[in-house]
Amino acid sequence: MTTSRTRFTAPQRLLHWLMAICVLSMLFIGVGMVSTVASKYLTLVQIHKSLGIGILLLALIRLALRICYGAPALPADISEPMKLGAYLSQYAFYALMIGMPLLGWGMMSAAAYPIVIFGVLHLPPILPVSAKLHTLLWRAHFYLAFVFFALILLHVAAILFHKLVRRDGVFETMAPEIRRAKPEPK
Amino acid sequence: MAQSPPPPRGFPLGSLAIIAAVVAVAATAFAYTAGWLSPHRLTPKKLVASLAPAEGPALGHRRNHTKGICFSGTFDANGNGSALSKAQVFIRGQYPVIGRFNLASPNLNAVDAMVRVRGLGIQITQSDHQEWRSAMIDAPIFPVSTPQGFYELQMASGSKDPDAMKKFIGAHQEFLSFLGWAKSAPWTGSYAEQRYNSLDSFVFTDQSGAKHSIRWSLVPAAQTVPISPDELTKRGPDFLEKEITERVAAAPQRWSLVVTVANPGDPTADPNKAWPADRQTVEVGTLTVQQIEAEQDGPCRDINFDPTVLPNGIGTSDDPFPAVRSAAYSRSFNSRTAEESHYPRTTTGGKQ
Ligand code: HEM
Ligand code: HEM
Ligand code: HEM
């Protein structure tokens, strides 16, 4: 899965940052919408469903790119358990980026709600109507959302640690390309 | 890429502080958005909890309009609605319906003669699978003008303070017009003799894109026979469900769906304010109730008659209630479907 490149390819980086914004928005919209009774509730739910399905599509593309292009190797001096942690968290992210939208879609199917995204597009149900299934998926969507957020906090803390403390170039693997003229700053 | 870490520079306190600060700010923003830091925010959770009777909610059941019975039938559109809305459901034709007659009380064992307001939930399915769901009541106006007022009404009626209702009415004069109806309107002995009103306003969009502010009502074909609450009491606590079952078994029951179009300036954001009686009305079709089924294994059981589930051509208006109701009904639905063990089905798997 690793490549000799020192950075992720440009499409991978673009998708990473675009999706980081989308996923964070989704988490905030999610917890915000279920705790409000204001009229914006309906708008938030609409955005939540549409953006969520958007994330599903982007995540599948991103997964394909990852399989094609792999990832730059982590610095050699990182301990094995840390490396394992880094890889596991990446698998977990992919699982969540694909799993959360499917859970959302599935739970709405099981609850017999019509699923309309972007105001016009009707998605077909992906599961039969069932109170039991709905409950299971709804709970999973709920708990995994918090797991997702916690993992992002951990991810950000770890990346900042690489950037500010270890200064080992891990951050730069995902950083936007800024001029080749000044190689290896600092 | 850096070959090796920079020379050690002592303990990186500053950097660690930045990291901790970033994580703390993000976590706090998340907690704030989720409402955990604002205990006074009116949330769907609080609103639904406020409905619960003193002994707690009826687990496994709807958190309001708890006692009810399922029906199925059809909606026959006559085509007249197409002048107002491009929704397929108004194109002449027949569309399947699932619905539920109910009492407006959070009490599962409510006695029919003790509950002033009766309701009807309905789902009409278009052939393109878009749905029109609605939950309506027989009162001509809603008790309060705002969702906040509805919450305050629940708090006041559940309060131990003997003056709570008086204080509530002091702050919500609009409740008096509802009380006027509640005290004077005749009672009937059948769900089939009731008129059911959307009360909330919605917006129809026609083929040309023009928008029309409307409300709708189901007007019964059955003749209304007034009876006294005392007489209803004598007939038994669950008379209405027995009556409608027998009545529909004997003959399908019909309502005509009537759309009322607002004039400019009519109050569209306040379901407590009726529109003047001379407003244009359009009869758009007929609801026929063909079969009654007990809720426990019936087709309405696991449906959320969320009033914001609407086909293209019908949308919400500036009325704040539908959004609140959507949030609250979803919460109620999530709770009750997760409590199936408290309300087990008698046939495995249930219908649908
Ligand atoms: C909000 C959701 C986020 C998700 C779901 C996410 C997910 C991921 C994933 C799956 C990878 C592995 C590379 C890949 O296959 O694309 C990665 C790498 C990376 N992320 Fe994020 N990320 C998020 C937010 C952030 C943020 C806010 C930062 C900035 C501090 C960041 C910085 C990085 C960096 C520098 C890498 C490359 C190093 C590595 O592979 O671990 N990410 N991210
Ligand atoms: C990356 C994708 C997604 C993320 C991160 C996400 C996150 C969340 C979060 C944080 C909540 C609030 C949970 C709570 O506090 O109760 C939520 C609720 C919800 N999500 Fe998602 N979601 C995603 C995708 C979707 C999709 C694609 C759909 C539907 C098509 C969906 C439908 C819902 C619904 C209906 C709720 C409300 C649940 C309830 O009634 O309590 N989600 N989501
Ligand atoms: C903020 C105001 C309101 C709140 C909080 C509220 C709350 C609720 C809740 C929690 C349910 C149970 C939903 C379920 O589990 O499926 C319900 C059902 C119902 N409500 Fe409301 N409601 C409100 C306003 C209204 C209005 C304005 C009407 C009528 C015009 C109405 C008519 C009904 C009916 C008929 C049902 C029963 C639907 C069914 O059979 O499933 N409600 N309400």
Side-chain angles (χ1 to χ4, degrees):
Chain A
M1 277 278 248
T2 57
T3 141
S4 57
R5 265 185 290 271
T6 58
R7 352 173 96 229
F8 285 93
T9 60
Q12 281 176 300
R13 278 178 283 142
L14 178 72
L15 273 179
H16 173 271
W17 293 111
L18 179 67
M19 292 186 68
I21 296 168
C22 292
V23 168
L24 278 170
S25 309
M26 280 301 283
L27 289 163
F28 278 85
I29 291 170
V31 295
M33 71 188 190
V34 299
S35 63
T36 184
V37 297
S39 296
K40 63 177 185 255
Y41 170 80
L42 295 177
T43 316
L44 290 176
V45 172
Q46 261 313 310
I47 299 175
H48 189 84
K49 289 187 276 188
S50 308
L51 190 56
I53 297 297
I55 288 176
L56 175 62
L57 296 176
L58 291 179
L60 293 173
I61 297 173
R62 182 165 168 190
L63 182 65
L65 290 176
R66 175 71 190 250
I67 291 168
C68 281
Y69 296 122
L74 287 170
D77 65 332
I78 291 184
S79 67
E80 282 309 317
M82 285 304 267
K83 270 190 190 153
L84 185 67
Y87 285 124
L88 284 181
S89 77
Q90 296 187 0
Y91 287 128
F93 272 142
Y94 278 97
L96 287 166
M97 288 186 295
I98 294 167
M100 282 297 286
L102 288 176
L103 286 171
W105 188 353
M107 79 184 178
M108 295 197 71
S109 307
Y113 292 117
I115 307 162
V116 186
I117 59 170
F118 301 109
V120 286
L121 195 63
H122 265 255
L123 298 184
I126 51 172
L127 287 173
V129 175
S130 151
K132 278 198 184 67
L133 261 180
H134 170 263
T135 301
L136 186 75
L137 304 182
W138 167 60
R139 293 211 168 112
H141 194 79
F142 175 83
Y143 289 112
L144 288 178
F146 293 96
V147 169
F148 206 168
F149 188 68
L151 202 61
I152 291 170
L153 290 184
L154 195 72
H155 179 64
V156 170
I159 297 297
L160 288 179
F161 187 78
H162 282 288
K163 172 79 184 158
L164 301 174
V165 180
R166 285 181 50 100
R167 305 193 183 171
D168 55 5
V170 167
F171 180 81
E172 283 65 26
T173 62
M174 195 54 93
E177 203 111 15
I178 324 168
R179 300 276 118 190
R180 289 267 102 171
K182 230 173 78 188
E184 295 318 315
K186 288 177 213 118
Chain B
M1 206 169 150
Q3 268 74 40
S4 58
R9 299 174 305 145
F11 189 69
L13 187 63
S15 301
L16 292 180
I18 292 175
I19 296 173
V22 168
V23 169
V25 167
T28 309
F30 194 64
Y32 173 77
T33 311
W36 300 335
L37 308 178
S38 358
H40 295 295
R41 188 191 292 180
L42 181 54
T43 59
K45 183 178 176 181
K46 258 187 165 169
L47 189 56
V48 171
S50 78
L51 292 163
E55 69 274 16
L59 299 180
H61 296 266
R62 285 167 169 79
R63 293 308 198 243
N64 200 8
H65 294 251
T66 310
K67 178 177 160 186
I69 191 161
C70 299
F71 67 76
S72 48
T74 56
F75 173 67
D76 287 271
N78 58 21
N80 294 344
S82 297
L84 292 169
S85 165
K86 62 183 177 192
Q88 191 198 56
V89 67
F90 294 121
I91 299 174
R92 180 185 273 280
Q94 194 169 73
Y95 305 89
V97 164
I98 288 171
R100 181 173 174 270
F101 294 109
N102 52 69
L103 292 182
S105 153
N107 201 327
L108 180 59
N109 302 312
V111 172
D112 292 349
M114 301 292 285
V115 184
R116 179 70 264 219
V117 176
R118 296 171 188 168
L120 175 146
I122 187 170
Q123 169 191 292
I124 310 178
T125 307
Q126 301 182 164
S127 62
D128 62 4
H129 302 297
Q130 295 192 34
E131 290 172 14
W132 182 9
R133 298 188 189 178
S134 179
M136 312 182 228
I137 55 176
D138 61 355
I141 52 170
F142 201 60
V144 289
S145 290
T146 60
Q148 181 70 33
F150 186 78
Y151 178 66
E152 283 161 21
L153 172 60
Q154 306 311 317
M155 297 315 276
S157 52
S159 169
K160 294 201 176 66
D161 173 3
D163 289 335
M165 272 318 274
K166 226 182 264 164
K167 281 185 213 153
F168 168 79
I169 293 173
H172 293 277
Q173 292 292 317
E174 79 263 23
F175 188 63
L176 293 174
S177 32
F178 174 78
L179 276 187
W181 169 82
K183 287 191 183 134
S184 64
W187 292 65
T188 74
S190 175
Y191 278 126
E193 295 171 19
Q194 257 12 104
R195 170 188 171 122
Y196 301 96
N197 309 299
S198 74
L199 301 188
D200 289 317
S201 77
F202 292 82
V203 176
F204 277 5
T205 306
D206 66 26
Q207 287 296 350
S208 75
K211 295 188 185 303
H212 311 272
S213 285
I214 52 89
R215 288 172 174 166
W216 59 75
S217 298
L218 284 169
V219 180
Q223 203 190 334
T224 301
V225 184
I227 70 165
S228 69
D230 289 343
E231 173 56 26
L232 191 55
T233 308
K234 281 192 213 123
R235 295 187 187 177
D238 303 317
F239 176 72
L240 291 177
E241 294 193 358
K242 246 180 272 151
E243 195 273 348
I244 194 70
T245 310
E246 287 164 12
R247 189 166 186 145
V248 171
Q253 297 296 307
R254 295 195 167 78
W255 282 258
S256 92
L257 181 57
V258 175
V259 173
T260 305
V261 186
N263 276 8
D266 283 347
T268 50
D270 182 354
N272 178 260
K273 303 284 174 293
W275 293 342
D278 66 352
R279 292 298 178 259
Q280 181 201 355
T281 57
V282 181
E283 200 197 315
V284 299
T286 306
L287 166 69
T288 308
V289 171
Q290 283 153 337
Q291 202 192 343
I292 299 288
E293 278 174 80
E295 182 192 71
Q296 191 159 20
D297 299 311
C300 72
R301 172 175 172 152
D302 291 337
I303 293 182
N304 171 355
F305 293 99
D306 176 338
T308 67
V309 172
L310 301 165
N312 281 336
I314 310 182
T316 50
S317 68
D318 59 349
D319 187 326
F321 277 92
V324 181
R325 294 173 63 190
S326 181
Y329 292 21
S330 161
R331 170 127 199 129
S332 169
F333 178 87
N334 292 342
S335 304
R336 64 185 168 90
T337 47
E339 296 157 352
E340 216 186 332
S341 61
H342 294 270
Y343 184 27
R345 289 158 213 274
T346 53
T347 58
T348 44
K351 293 266 164 72
Q352 272 223 335

